[in-house]
PDB file of all heavy atoms in Angstrom:
ATOM      1  N   SER T 452     -95.450 -62.741  18.085  1.00  0.00           N
ATOM      2  CA  SER T 452     -94.603 -62.289  19.164  1.00  0.00           C
ATOM      3  C   SER T 452     -94.601 -63.310  20.284  1.00  0.00           C
ATOM      4  O   SER T 452     -93.548 -63.602  20.884  1.00  0.00           O
ATOM      5  CB  SER T 452     -95.134 -60.927  19.709  1.00  0.00           C
ATOM      6  OG  SER T 452     -95.086 -59.977  18.691  1.00  0.00           O
ATOM      7  N   LYS T 453     -95.755 -63.891  20.599  1.00  0.00           N
ATOM      8  CA  LYS T 453     -95.793 -64.890  21.660  1.00  0.00           C
ATOM      9  C   LYS T 453     -95.018 -66.127  21.261  1.00  0.00           C
ATOM     10  O   LYS T 453     -94.374 -66.774  22.117  1.00  0.00           O
ATOM     11  CB  LYS T 453     -97.251 -65.260  22.006  1.00  0.00           C
ATOM     12  CG  LYS T 453     -98.011 -64.112  22.642  1.00  0.00           C
ATOM     13  CD  LYS T 453     -99.405 -64.558  23.035  1.00  0.00           C
ATOM     14  CE  LYS T 453    -100.120 -63.378  23.719  1.00  0.00           C
ATOM     15  NZ  LYS T 453     -99.453 -63.018  24.988  1.00  0.00           N
ATOM     16  N   LEU T 454     -95.105 -66.500  19.999  1.00  0.00           N
ATOM     17  CA  LEU T 454     -94.314 -67.696  19.534  1.00  0.00           C
ATOM     18  C   LEU T 454     -92.817 -67.379  19.641  1.00  0.00           C
ATOM     19  O   LEU T 454     -92.044 -68.271  20.090  1.00  0.00           O
ATOM     20  CB  LEU T 454     -94.686 -68.008  18.082  1.00  0.00           C
ATOM     21  CG  LEU T 454     -93.900 -69.132  17.452  1.00  0.00           C
ATOM     22  CD1 LEU T 454     -94.207 -70.469  18.181  1.00  0.00           C
ATOM     23  CD2 LEU T 454     -94.249 -69.271  15.962  1.00  0.00           C
ATOM     24  N   LEU T 455     -92.425 -66.182  19.260  1.00  0.00           N
ATOM     25  CA  LEU T 455     -91.001 -65.851  19.412  1.00  0.00           C
ATOM     26  C   LEU T 455     -90.562 -65.821  20.833  1.00  0.00           C
ATOM     27  O   LEU T 455     -89.458 -66.199  21.189  1.00  0.00           O
ATOM     28  CB  LEU T 455     -90.755 -64.505  18.717  1.00  0.00           C
ATOM     29  CG  LEU T 455     -90.934 -64.462  17.193  1.00  0.00           C
ATOM     30  CD1 LEU T 455     -90.695 -63.067  16.648  1.00  0.00           C
ATOM     31  CD2 LEU T 455     -90.003 -65.461  16.494  1.00  0.00           C
ATOM     32  N   GLU T 456     -91.428 -65.285  21.718  1.00  0.00           N
ATOM     33  CA  GLU T 456     -91.095 -65.257  23.130  1.00  0.00           C
ATOM     34  C   GLU T 456     -90.950 -66.650  23.699  1.00  0.00           C
ATOM     35  O   GLU T 456     -90.028 -66.920  24.446  1.00  0.00           O
ATOM     36  CB  GLU T 456     -92.185 -64.512  23.892  1.00  0.00           C
ATOM     37  CG  GLU T 456     -92.198 -63.045  23.632  1.00  0.00           C
ATOM     38  CD  GLU T 456     -93.346 -62.329  24.350  1.00  0.00           C
ATOM     39  OE1 GLU T 456     -94.065 -63.063  25.093  1.00  0.00           O
ATOM     40  OE2 GLU T 456     -93.503 -61.109  24.216  1.00  0.00           O
ATOM     41  N   GLU T 457     -91.780 -67.576  23.301  1.00  0.00           N
ATOM     42  CA  GLU T 457     -91.681 -68.939  23.763  1.00  0.00           C
ATOM     43  C   GLU T 457     -90.408 -69.595  23.234  1.00  0.00           C
ATOM     44  O   GLU T 457     -89.692 -70.346  23.926  1.00  0.00           O
ATOM     45  CB  GLU T 457     -92.908 -69.750  23.313  1.00  0.00           C
ATOM     46  CG  GLU T 457     -92.873 -71.153  23.803  1.00  0.00           C
ATOM     47  CD  GLU T 457     -94.176 -71.935  23.485  1.00  0.00           C
ATOM     48  OE1 GLU T 457     -95.194 -71.225  23.229  1.00  0.00           O
ATOM     49  OE2 GLU T 457     -94.172 -73.151  23.490  1.00  0.00           O
ATOM     50  N   SER T 458     -90.079 -69.329  21.987  1.00  0.00           N
ATOM     51  CA  SER T 458     -88.855 -69.858  21.401  1.00  0.00           C
ATOM     52  C   SER T 458     -87.608 -69.257  22.081  1.00  0.00           C
ATOM     53  O   SER T 458     -86.617 -69.999  22.379  1.00  0.00           O
ATOM     54  CB  SER T 458     -88.767 -69.590  19.904  1.00  0.00           C
ATOM     55  OG  SER T 458     -87.557 -70.030  19.327  1.00  0.00           O
ATOM     56  N   LEU T 459     -87.682 -67.966  22.371  1.00  0.00           N
ATOM     57  CA  LEU T 459     -86.550 -67.348  23.074  1.00  0.00           C
ATOM     58  C   LEU T 459     -86.401 -67.869  24.483  1.00  0.00           C
ATOM     59  O   LEU T 459     -85.265 -68.041  24.959  1.00  0.00           O
ATOM     60  CB  LEU T 459     -86.729 -65.821  23.099  1.00  0.00           C
ATOM     61  CG  LEU T 459     -86.594 -65.112  21.733  1.00  0.00           C
ATOM     62  CD1 LEU T 459     -86.932 -63.641  21.882  1.00  0.00           C
ATOM     63  CD2 LEU T 459     -85.209 -65.281  21.164  1.00  0.00           C
ATOM     64  N   GLU T 460     -87.542 -68.119  25.128  1.00  0.00           N
ATOM     65  CA  GLU T 460     -87.440 -68.657  26.487  1.00  0.00           C
ATOM     66  C   GLU T 460     -86.832 -70.068  26.505  1.00  0.00           C
ATOM     67  O   GLU T 460     -86.155 -70.450  27.446  1.00  0.00           O
ATOM     68  CB  GLU T 460     -88.796 -68.673  27.122  1.00  0.00           C
ATOM     69  CG  GLU T 460     -89.370 -67.292  27.433  1.00  0.00           C
ATOM     70  CD  GLU T 460     -90.783 -67.405  27.983  1.00  0.00           C
ATOM     71  OE1 GLU T 460     -91.290 -68.541  28.069  1.00  0.00           O
ATOM     72  OE2 GLU T 460     -91.373 -66.343  28.293  1.00  0.00           O
ATOM     73  N   ARG T 461     -87.043 -70.808  25.398  1.00  0.00           N
ATOM     74  CA  ARG T 461     -86.550 -72.160  25.354  1.00  0.00           C
ATOM     75  C   ARG T 461     -85.081 -72.206  24.957  1.00  0.00           C
ATOM     76  O   ARG T 461     -84.288 -72.951  25.507  1.00  0.00           O
ATOM     77  CB  ARG T 461     -87.396 -72.965  24.357  1.00  0.00           C
ATOM     78  CG  ARG T 461     -86.976 -74.417  24.314  1.00  0.00           C
ATOM     79  CD  ARG T 461     -87.959 -75.267  23.507  1.00  0.00           C
ATOM     80  NE  ARG T 461     -88.083 -74.759  22.136  1.00  0.00           N
ATOM     81  CZ  ARG T 461     -89.176 -74.115  21.690  1.00  0.00           C
ATOM     82  NH1 ARG T 461     -90.183 -73.908  22.517  1.00  0.00           N
ATOM     83  NH2 ARG T 461     -89.261 -73.668  20.463  1.00  0.00           N
ATOM     84  N   HIS T 462     -84.661 -71.366  24.021  1.00  0.00           N
ATOM     85  CA  HIS T 462     -83.300 -71.426  23.512  1.00  0.00           C
ATOM     86  C   HIS T 462     -82.377 -70.409  24.131  1.00  0.00           C
ATOM     87  O   HIS T 462     -81.138 -70.581  24.112  1.00  0.00           O
ATOM     88  CB  HIS T 462     -83.282 -71.149  21.978  1.00  0.00           C
ATOM     89  CG  HIS T 462     -83.993 -72.217  21.199  1.00  0.00           C
ATOM     90  ND1 HIS T 462     -85.336 -72.124  20.884  1.00  0.00           N
ATOM     91  CD2 HIS T 462     -83.549 -73.407  20.690  1.00  0.00           C
ATOM     92  CE1 HIS T 462     -85.701 -73.216  20.184  1.00  0.00           C
ATOM     93  NE2 HIS T 462     -84.646 -73.980  20.070  1.00  0.00           N
ATOM     94  N   TRP T 463     -82.932 -69.328  24.724  1.00  0.00           N
ATOM     95  CA  TRP T 463     -82.120 -68.275  25.315  1.00  0.00           C
ATOM     96  C   TRP T 463     -82.527 -68.048  26.771  1.00  0.00           C
ATOM     97  O   TRP T 463     -82.930 -66.990  27.182  1.00  0.00           O
ATOM     98  CB  TRP T 463     -82.195 -66.968  24.520  1.00  0.00           C
ATOM     99  CG  TRP T 463     -81.845 -67.118  23.061  1.00  0.00           C
ATOM    100  CD1 TRP T 463     -82.621 -67.372  22.023  1.00  0.00           C
ATOM    101  CD2 TRP T 463     -80.497 -66.997  22.558  1.00  0.00           C
ATOM    102  NE1 TRP T 463     -81.884 -67.504  20.882  1.00  0.00           N
ATOM    103  CE2 TRP T 463     -80.585 -67.234  21.154  1.00  0.00           C
ATOM    104  CE3 TRP T 463     -79.268 -66.697  23.113  1.00  0.00           C
ATOM    105  CZ2 TRP T 463     -79.479 -67.177  20.302  1.00  0.00           C
ATOM    106  CZ3 TRP T 463     -78.170 -66.655  22.267  1.00  0.00           C
ATOM    107  CH2 TRP T 463     -78.275 -66.912  20.919  1.00  0.00           C
ATOM    108  N   GLY T 464     -82.387 -69.109  27.492  1.00  0.00           N
ATOM    109  CA  GLY T 464     -82.700 -69.052  28.906  1.00  0.00           C
ATOM    110  C   GLY T 464     -81.616 -68.387  29.690  1.00  0.00           C
ATOM    111  O   GLY T 464     -80.537 -67.970  29.172  1.00  0.00           O
ATOM    112  N   GLU T 465     -81.804 -68.246  30.979  1.00  0.00           N
ATOM    113  CA  GLU T 465     -80.854 -67.541  31.811  1.00  0.00           C
ATOM    114  C   GLU T 465     -79.506 -68.292  31.890  1.00  0.00           C
ATOM    115  O   GLU T 465     -78.440 -67.667  31.854  1.00  0.00           O
ATOM    116  CB  GLU T 465     -81.433 -67.410  33.218  1.00  0.00           C
ATOM    117  CG  GLU T 465     -80.577 -66.578  34.150  1.00  0.00           C
ATOM    118  CD  GLU T 465     -81.223 -66.380  35.504  1.00  0.00           C
ATOM    119  OE1 GLU T 465     -82.423 -66.782  35.686  1.00  0.00           O
ATOM    120  OE2 GLU T 465     -80.579 -65.753  36.393  1.00  0.00           O
ATOM    121  N   GLU T 466     -79.520 -69.618  31.911  1.00  0.00           N
ATOM    122  CA  GLU T 466     -78.285 -70.372  31.961  1.00  0.00           C
ATOM    123  C   GLU T 466     -77.489 -70.195  30.669  1.00  0.00           C
ATOM    124  O   GLU T 466     -76.222 -70.037  30.741  1.00  0.00           O
ATOM    125  CB  GLU T 466     -78.580 -71.851  32.180  1.00  0.00           C
ATOM    126  CG  GLU T 466     -79.274 -72.149  33.510  1.00  0.00           C
ATOM    127  CD  GLU T 466     -79.556 -73.595  33.732  1.00  0.00           C
ATOM    128  OE1 GLU T 466     -79.243 -74.410  32.770  1.00  0.00           O
ATOM    129  OE2 GLU T 466     -80.074 -73.977  34.815  1.00  0.00           O
ATOM    130  N   ASN T 467     -78.131 -70.258  29.518  1.00  0.00           N
ATOM    131  CA  ASN T 467     -77.454 -70.051  28.270  1.00  0.00           C
ATOM    132  C   ASN T 467     -76.820 -68.654  28.161  1.00  0.00           C
ATOM    133  O   ASN T 467     -75.716 -68.454  27.638  1.00  0.00           O
ATOM    134  CB  ASN T 467     -78.365 -70.281  27.082  1.00  0.00           C
ATOM    135  CG  ASN T 467     -78.811 -71.730  27.015  1.00  0.00           C
ATOM    136  OD1 ASN T 467     -78.184 -72.619  27.526  1.00  0.00           O
ATOM    137  ND2 ASN T 467     -80.006 -71.972  26.393  1.00  0.00           N
ATOM    138  N   LEU T 468     -77.528 -67.640  28.630  1.00  0.00           N
ATOM    139  CA  LEU T 468     -77.028 -66.278  28.585  1.00  0.00           C
ATOM    140  C   LEU T 468     -75.811 -66.097  29.518  1.00  0.00           C
ATOM    141  O   LEU T 468     -74.898 -65.384  29.184  1.00  0.00           O
ATOM    142  CB  LEU T 468     -78.101 -65.246  28.946  1.00  0.00           C
ATOM    143  CG  LEU T 468     -79.269 -65.205  27.891  1.00  0.00           C
ATOM    144  CD1 LEU T 468     -80.322 -64.223  28.378  1.00  0.00           C
ATOM    145  CD2 LEU T 468     -78.804 -64.773  26.564  1.00  0.00           C
ATOM    146  N   HIS T 469     -75.915 -66.714  30.673  1.00  0.00           N
ATOM    147  CA  HIS T 469     -74.745 -66.696  31.600  1.00  0.00           C
ATOM    148  C   HIS T 469     -73.503 -67.368  30.941  1.00  0.00           C
ATOM    149  O   HIS T 469     -72.414 -66.832  31.111  1.00  0.00           O
ATOM    150  CB  HIS T 469     -75.105 -67.386  32.905  1.00  0.00           C
ATOM    151  CG  HIS T 469     -75.796 -66.467  33.903  1.00  0.00           C
ATOM    152  ND1 HIS T 469     -75.165 -65.388  34.434  1.00  0.00           N
ATOM    153  CD2 HIS T 469     -77.027 -66.505  34.359  1.00  0.00           C
ATOM    154  CE1 HIS T 469     -75.992 -64.781  35.268  1.00  0.00           C
ATOM    155  NE2 HIS T 469     -77.136 -65.407  35.278  1.00  0.00           N
ATOM    156  N   ALA T 470     -73.744 -68.424  30.225  1.00  0.00           N
ATOM    157  CA  ALA T 470     -72.606 -69.102  29.581  1.00  0.00           C
ATOM    158  C   ALA T 470     -71.977 -68.266  28.463  1.00  0.00           C
ATOM    159  O   ALA T 470     -70.814 -68.377  28.157  1.00  0.00           O
ATOM    160  CB  ALA T 470     -73.080 -70.469  29.033  1.00  0.00           C
ATOM    161  N   MET T 471     -72.792 -67.387  27.834  1.00  0.00           N
ATOM    162  CA  MET T 471     -72.275 -66.534  26.770  1.00  0.00           C
ATOM    163  C   MET T 471     -71.618 -65.263  27.250  1.00  0.00           C
ATOM    164  O   MET T 471     -70.992 -64.563  26.503  1.00  0.00           O
ATOM    165  CB  MET T 471     -73.435 -66.160  25.794  1.00  0.00           C
ATOM    166  CG  MET T 471     -73.989 -67.343  25.053  1.00  0.00           C
ATOM    167  SD  MET T 471     -75.396 -66.805  24.029  1.00  0.00           S
ATOM    168  CE  MET T 471     -74.573 -65.623  22.967  1.00  0.00           C
ATOM    169  N   THR T 472     -71.754 -64.955  28.501  1.00  0.00           N
ATOM    170  CA  THR T 472     -71.175 -63.758  29.055  1.00  0.00           C
ATOM    171  C   THR T 472     -69.681 -63.897  29.152  1.00  0.00           C
ATOM    172  O   THR T 472     -69.138 -64.870  29.631  1.00  0.00           O
ATOM    173  CB  THR T 472     -71.776 -63.461  30.453  1.00  0.00           C
ATOM    174  OG1 THR T 472     -73.202 -63.384  30.344  1.00  0.00           O
ATOM    175  CG2 THR T 472     -71.235 -62.155  30.982  1.00  0.00           C
ATOM    176  N   THR T 473     -68.924 -62.845  28.681  1.00  0.00           N
ATOM    177  CA  THR T 473     -67.468 -62.827  28.682  1.00  0.00           C
ATOM    178  C   THR T 473     -66.971 -61.583  29.450  1.00  0.00           C
ATOM    179  O   THR T 473     -67.838 -60.742  29.860  1.00  0.00           O
ATOM    180  CB  THR T 473     -66.901 -62.804  27.267  1.00  0.00           C
ATOM    181  OG1 THR T 473     -67.413 -61.657  26.576  1.00  0.00           O
ATOM    182  CG2 THR T 473     -67.338 -64.057  26.473  1.00  0.00           C
ATOM    183  N   VAL T 474     -65.712 -61.493  29.582  1.00  0.00           N
ATOM    184  CA  VAL T 474     -65.078 -60.373  30.267  1.00  0.00           C
ATOM    185  C   VAL T 474     -64.232 -59.619  29.264  1.00  0.00           C
ATOM    186  O   VAL T 474     -63.361 -60.225  28.570  1.00  0.00           O
ATOM    187  CB  VAL T 474     -64.235 -60.839  31.466  1.00  0.00           C
ATOM    188  CG1 VAL T 474     -63.592 -59.637  32.155  1.00  0.00           C
ATOM    189  CG2 VAL T 474     -65.086 -61.590  32.458  1.00  0.00           C
ATOM    190  N   ASP T 475     -64.406 -58.319  29.099  1.00  0.00           N
ATOM    191  CA  ASP T 475     -63.660 -57.530  28.095  1.00  0.00           C
ATOM    192  C   ASP T 475     -62.327 -57.097  28.635  1.00  0.00           C
ATOM    193  O   ASP T 475     -61.872 -57.506  29.716  1.00  0.00           O
ATOM    194  CB  ASP T 475     -64.506 -56.373  27.611  1.00  0.00           C
ATOM    195  CG  ASP T 475     -64.838 -55.408  28.757  1.00  0.00           C
ATOM    196  OD1 ASP T 475     -64.389 -55.610  29.902  1.00  0.00           O
ATOM    197  OD2 ASP T 475     -65.605 -54.431  28.509  1.00  0.00           O
ATOM    198  N   VAL T 476     -61.677 -56.243  27.913  1.00  0.00           N
ATOM    199  CA  VAL T 476     -60.318 -55.755  28.287  1.00  0.00           C
ATOM    200  C   VAL T 476     -60.333 -55.032  29.635  1.00  0.00           C
ATOM    201  O   VAL T 476     -59.419 -55.172  30.426  1.00  0.00           O
ATOM    202  CB  VAL T 476     -59.771 -54.853  27.185  1.00  0.00           C
ATOM    203  CG1 VAL T 476     -58.399 -54.402  27.524  1.00  0.00           C
ATOM    204  CG2 VAL T 476     -59.784 -55.613  25.868  1.00  0.00           C
ATOM    205  N   ASP T 477     -61.376 -54.288  29.878  1.00  0.00           N
ATOM    206  CA  ASP T 477     -61.462 -53.510  31.099  1.00  0.00           C
ATOM    207  C   ASP T 477     -61.976 -54.286  32.263  1.00  0.00           C
ATOM    208  O   ASP T 477     -62.213 -53.731  33.350  1.00  0.00           O
ATOM    209  CB  ASP T 477     -62.359 -52.279  30.855  1.00  0.00           C
ATOM    210  CG  ASP T 477     -61.806 -51.380  29.824  1.00  0.00           C
ATOM    211  OD1 ASP T 477     -60.575 -51.327  29.649  1.00  0.00           O
ATOM    212  OD2 ASP T 477     -62.606 -50.765  29.058  1.00  0.00           O
ATOM    213  N   GLY T 478     -62.248 -55.612  32.056  1.00  0.00           N
ATOM    214  CA  GLY T 478     -62.711 -56.435  33.144  1.00  0.00           C
ATOM    215  C   GLY T 478     -64.222 -56.318  33.379  1.00  0.00           C
ATOM    216  O   GLY T 478     -64.708 -56.748  34.448  1.00  0.00           O
ATOM    217  N   CYS T 479     -64.956 -55.849  32.372  1.00  0.00           N
ATOM    218  CA  CYS T 479     -66.402 -55.739  32.515  1.00  0.00           C
ATOM    219  C   CYS T 479     -67.119 -56.925  31.919  1.00  0.00           C
ATOM    220  O   CYS T 479     -66.644 -57.412  30.859  1.00  0.00           O
ATOM    221  CB  CYS T 479     -66.910 -54.455  31.859  1.00  0.00           C
ATOM    222  SG  CYS T 479     -66.221 -52.933  32.540  1.00  0.00           S
ATOM    223  N   SER T 480     -68.135 -57.400  32.529  1.00  0.00           N
ATOM    224  CA  SER T 480     -68.875 -58.537  31.980  1.00  0.00           C
ATOM    225  C   SER T 480     -69.665 -58.015  30.756  1.00  0.00           C
ATOM    226  O   SER T 480     -70.398 -57.036  30.795  1.00  0.00           O
ATOM    227  CB  SER T 480     -69.826 -59.096  33.070  1.00  0.00           C
ATOM    228  OG  SER T 480     -70.720 -58.069  33.512  1.00  0.00           O
ATOM    229  N   THR T 481     -69.537 -58.777  29.684  1.00  0.00           N
ATOM    230  CA  THR T 481     -70.074 -58.426  28.368  1.00  0.00           C
ATOM    231  C   THR T 481     -70.879 -59.495  27.784  1.00  0.00           C
ATOM    232  O   THR T 481     -70.496 -60.678  27.866  1.00  0.00           O
ATOM    233  CB  THR T 481     -68.937 -58.022  27.405  1.00  0.00           C
ATOM    234  OG1 THR T 481     -68.114 -57.004  27.982  1.00  0.00           O
ATOM    235  CG2 THR T 481     -69.495 -57.493  26.107  1.00  0.00           C
TER     236      THR T 481
END
Side-chain angles (χ1 to χ4, degrees):
S452 300
K453 291 185 179 296
L454 178 63
L455 294 177
E456 289 177 1
E457 183 174 340
S458 177
L459 291 175
E460 291 177 359
R461 182 171 59 252
H462 296 92
W463 301 91
E465 185 176 357
E466 297 181 358
N467 295 336
L468 294 179
H469 274 295
M471 295 178 58
T472 303
T473 58
V474 179
D475 61 5
V476 181
D477 299 327
C479 300
S480 58
T481 305

